[in-house]
Amino acid sequence: MGKTIHYASITKKIVMSLAGLFLTSFLVVHLTINLFVLFDPSREMFNQAAHFMATNPFIQTFQWVLFIGFILHMIFGVVLQIQNWMARPVRYEKKGSSELSYFSKFMIHTGVVVFIFLIIHFANFFVKAKLGEVESITYASGTYEDLGNLIILLFKDGAYVAFYVVAILLLGFHLDHGFQSAFQSLGLNHSRYTPFIKLIGTLFSVLITLGFVAIPLVIYFS
Amino acid sequence: MDLTLKIWRQASATAKGKFVNYKVQDISAEASFLEMLDLLNESLVQKGEEPVAFDHDCREGICGACSLYINGRPHGPDRGITTCQMHMRNFKHGETIVIEPWRAKPFPVIKDLMVDRSAFDEIMQAGGYVSVRTGGVPDANAIPISKRNADLAMDAAACIGCGACVAACKNASAMLFVSAKVSQFALLPQGKLEANERVRKMVARMDELGFGNCTNTYACEAECPKEISAANIARMNREFLVAKITAPKE
Ligand code: HEM
Ligand code: FES
């Protein structure tokens, strides 16, 4: 490889796991705010929260950390995967299935779908909001961009809802393996706590998936 | 029992290989897998054909020479056991058994089912040792070691270096092997001194040799004949992180 930048396999994994956990923590914030749409029909809470996220300097700074983390996670994910494929040029006739963490087999596949989803997601919300293409709405507390309405309009489109639900399901699979995997990558394995981390990871993935999937389904069918 | 064996045949490292089917008859359930292959080879020799080449030495599960990827599993269907210790009672009359060599870029096929595992030796040469000055025999128990660490180091040292972890891993990663070797030293006072250097050098060599990366699927742990725990991999990641952060650049 000559004098090009070279990272050890474990370095890449450690960066991926930190970025992955950071992305995971962001999902919690994101889901909490999204759920406001369901619980407040006037959309005031949601629009307020979205406004806060878009203007708060602390959040704005961390947005960049998140973005860089995401890019690194993706680049290293793809690089690791290519190296992994190259490490076995001749495949087995009879494929093995000894994995103890089932979704570990599909991290690149679920990851790529999540990536495609995020591009569309960004085009739909983030870019529109940044370009100021979103209509305003006035409440007693002030005037905000009506991003909540954007969500509701999109979730009336059956095809979009279907795509959204599938992408979130795959994200859930990604997380089910990813959550506990990140701890292992960071060297945090302990005979007492590791089974607990695995359980938390699975419960967490199920909750995140159910939360994100509930929103489009409720809006579509109401 | 009668069986069909679908075996990878490859005349040399550079020859193109292919699967060949063989029928074996009247195999006893008490025979070991390698004894069954011995019978096949005897019949092949009698017919004037080239016998199937496969690795084996101790045939008692301690040397790590035997290999074979049997029906999609390194060392075959039993858990915690090497191919030489695995018996034909694991198979049914009339079954077809697919037998392949370990598949990994750093483990090239030498002939038929034999692969070159010297990549593991190269990783060991990179740092899998403790530098000691020879001299008088030290007193036993001169260095206190906690029972817990002694046990963990002993468990890690149970690795026989057969390569089943690499064979089982979807990425052909050697992390379980390397982490067992890193752990067996890092856990003991004699090995601690060179721990930082060791983990960096062994991981670097592992990467250079073209082994895959770890996705934490834990297939290695499931298939290891010595049931080495993937907790060793976490220990190695920890050791590596500490080494990277604390050790000065060379
Ligand atoms: C919201 C988005 C995402 C979250 C929360 C997330 C989370 C995670 C976590 C926690 C891990 C485990 C890290 C480790 O084993 O150390 C992981 C692994 C992985 N992620 Fe993501 N990820 C996301 C998006 C993506 C994307 C867009 C890709 C695209 C290519 C991707 C590809 C991968 C791959 C390939 C792995 C496995 C790496 C390996 O162990 O070999 N992820 N992810
Ligand atoms: S031949 Fe020695 S372990 Fe199987």
Side-chain angles (χ1 to χ4, degrees), chain A residues 9 31 39 60 103 105 112 118 134-135 144 162 194 196 218:
Chain A
S9 53
L31 177 60
F39 295 113
Q60 286 299 296
F103 294 115
K105 275 180 163 173
V112 166
L118 282 175
V134 185
E135 285 174 26
Y144 306 107
T194 295
F196 186 64
V218 168

Side-chain angles (χ1 to χ4, degrees), chain A residues 163-218:
Chain A
F163 170 63
Y164 189 97
V165 169
V166 169
I168 295 293
L169 271 178
L170 296 186
L171 173 65
F173 296 156
H174 197 85
L175 279 177
D176 179 58
H177 170 71
F179 191 90
Q180 54 82 32
S181 176
F183 286 85
Q184 169 83 359
S185 296
L186 291 171
L188 302 172
N189 181 308
H190 188 284
S191 53
R192 191 177 304 157
Y193 305 119
T194 295
F196 186 64
I197 290 172
K198 287 185 179 167
L199 181 72
I200 295 278
T202 302
L203 283 179
F204 177 80
S205 314
V206 170
L207 282 181
I208 288 281
T209 308
L210 286 181
F212 273 114
V213 161
I215 299 165
L217 291 183
V218 168

